[in-house]
Amino acid sequence: MSLEQVIQLEKVNKWYDDFHVLKDIDLSVGKGQRIVICGPSGSGKSTMIRCINRLEAHQEGKIVVHGTELTNDLKNIDLIRKNVGMVFQQFNLFPHLSVLDNISLAPIWVKKMPKKEAEEIAMTYLEKVKIPEQAEKFPGQLSGGQQQRVAIARSLAMNPDIMLFDEPTSALDPEMIKEVLDVMVQLAEEGMTMLVVTHEMGFAKTVADQMIFMDEGRIIEQATPDEFFNDPKSDRTKLFLSQILNH
Amino acid sequence: MIITNSNLKIHNYYKWLQRNLFSSWINSFLTIIALIFLYKVGTFFLNWTFFEADFRYNFQGDLITDRILCSKNIVPGEYGACWAIIFVRWDQFIYGFYPTEELWRVNLTFALLPLAIVGVLFDKIPFRKYFIYFTFIFPFFAYYMLYGGPGFTVVDTNKWGGLLVTLFLGVTGIALAFPLSVFLALGRRSKMPIIKSICIMFIEFIRGVPLITLLFTANVMLPLFLPDGVSPDNLLRALVAVTLFQSAYMAEAIRGGLQAIPKGQLEAAQSLGLGYWQTNRKIILPQALKIAIPPIVNTCIGLFKDTSLVLIIGLFDLLGIGRAALADMTWTKLYYEVYVFISIVFFIFCFGMSRYSLYLEKKLKTDNS
């Protein structure tokens, strides 16, 4: 591959006390790649992407983002978090702040941007996720789908190069999933590097250029969507796909 | 039959009585007993406090200047309270031994105190920003006014007393304890082991010791930690003890609020690149403090009442002044009047705080829905 490598994981291991969550994870993500990660619950997929912006610390191995290795050095962690956006299953919007303040907070406090400029940027991203009219509302007044779109706008306002999505549609009512996926597809089309943990296989087929299947803390299979869906190599993947596609 | 609105109301009222107070024979019996009891106690109290009481003059129309002039001491068994002691010693109850010609300074401070607090208590008042500015200026202003300085005579704190000392210790103690308690609560949840254990030890030690012990300790030990010749005055010593005591309790109330904030809030803030202090200041504390306000107010009520313990280290707070008044041969034995008066004053402040706490609980419920 001639792509510039933006994320590299080498022999990453992680334990929760005695429980071995990540086992010898090797992964390399090129600039602009869209990687969809799936697998049964408890397989370590969320933990893996949460290690990439150090919401969780790994104990062994090496994680390098944009040439900066993640260690206990707080400077490196800050540097990486500024360039890596994250969207959570539970949205995690700040309920005491308006939508506009939710989005402009980090640009103002982390990037030291003037308030006015930050709010203009916030409005741009709200338009991008198609809810500029909700700017003055509070998160509690929005639907789940709207909240998740605000959460995406909030991450994008920091102008990250990489976006991590941790089951962004799992907490949504079915009729709201599409509005969130549409925003994500649009983002993919614009060339954003994305790591997405999801069970939305339709989305995976449309945007992914790599599929990863994880089970019991290991990467079992990594392939292009075409191979992955039509000709999976491992039995575990086949079983998982049959369960998830026929439910 | 035509049922008019007022008929309906009376009907509903009657229904309510029947359902809640007279639903069965036992219930009716208890209701009647309770009513008789309330009537007896209520009439006794009202007669004693108002209808049969002396205020400034006795039943013969003489100005009461001595307890022997109280109507109840002239005709035993016929009359109620003798409030003259409160009137005669009013200035002492409110200001202690503060010089009479300087009392306006205390009055001005008292008058401005509500303005300093209102911005903190209510978030939807007009010009709140300016009230908050005033809140920060007020302590310096109050110090200058009460203690004195350039242009004003210095009034030493051993002349302070009564409600002034009670309010000073209560308000200043709470105001100083608040920032301290925020750091203690954050420290107790810190990942840094040394800071964490210092905070835990401090909180647990203070909570494990009665306030009286702390007051004695501050009184005796504080001078030991200071250079020779520097002797902080008694009021300051009491203030240190009260502040430390309050900060430990408040810290636990705030910790409760911090624990109620979902972990996702912290993670979202971190993933956006916000640092530890930014995350706490902008995301975690605003939410946690809101939840913690009712328990915080609870600890404030407790502290406000506990300030009366300072009388044992020789300060004349409201209770101390009351006891001093009773020690005066002219007024001795008017215990009920003095203690009832002091109770009423404490009750007014504590009830106010309690109502405020209830108001907040209601407000929080509607805010979060």
Side-chain angles (χ1 to χ4, degrees), chain B residues 158-175:
Chain B
N158 60 22
K159 294 209 172 64
W160 300 18
L163 185 64
L164 172 59
V165 162
T166 300
L167 278 178
F168 173 79
L169 286 175
V171 175
T172 321
I174 289 165

Side-chain angles (χ1 to χ4, degrees), chain B residues 20-47:
Chain B
N20 292 293
L21 299 177
F22 301 98
S23 58
S24 68
W25 281 111
I26 292 179
N27 201 340
S28 311
F29 177 72
L30 290 175
T31 301
I32 289 164
I33 295 280
L35 284 177
I36 292 171
F37 178 76
L38 281 178
Y39 174 78
K40 289 276 181 193
V41 172
T43 50
F44 171 78
F45 186 75
L46 286 177
N47 282 336

Side-chain angles (χ1 to χ4, degrees), chain A residues 50 53 55 81 84 88 92-96 105 109-110 112 154 158, chain B residues 263-265 267-274 278 281-283 286-287:
Chain A
R50 285 158 61 86
N53 68 350
L55 287 182
R81 282 181 182 160
V84 180
F88 301 85
N92 296 346
L93 292 179
F94 308 130
H96 61 301
L105 182 94
W109 290 91
V110 180
K112 314 288 177 205
R154 180 175 69 175
M158 285 298 284
Chain B
K263 203 166 163 247
Q265 292 290 304
E267 290 177 349
Q270 283 179 338
S271 74
L272 288 168
L274 290 154
Q278 287 174 335
R281 194 175 135 214
K282 291 282 154 191
I283 308 301
Q287 298 181 62

Side-chain angles (χ1 to χ4, degrees), chain B residues 247-283:
Chain B
S247 65
Y249 278 91
M250 238 193 228
E252 286 299 278
I254 293 173
R255 190 168 68 102
L258 289 173
Q259 271 167 344
I261 307 301
K263 203 166 163 247
Q265 292 290 304
L266 176 70
E267 290 177 349
Q270 283 179 338
S271 74
L272 288 168
L274 290 154
Y276 176 81
W277 293 110
Q278 287 174 335
T279 305
N280 275 310
R281 194 175 135 214
K282 291 282 154 191
I283 308 301

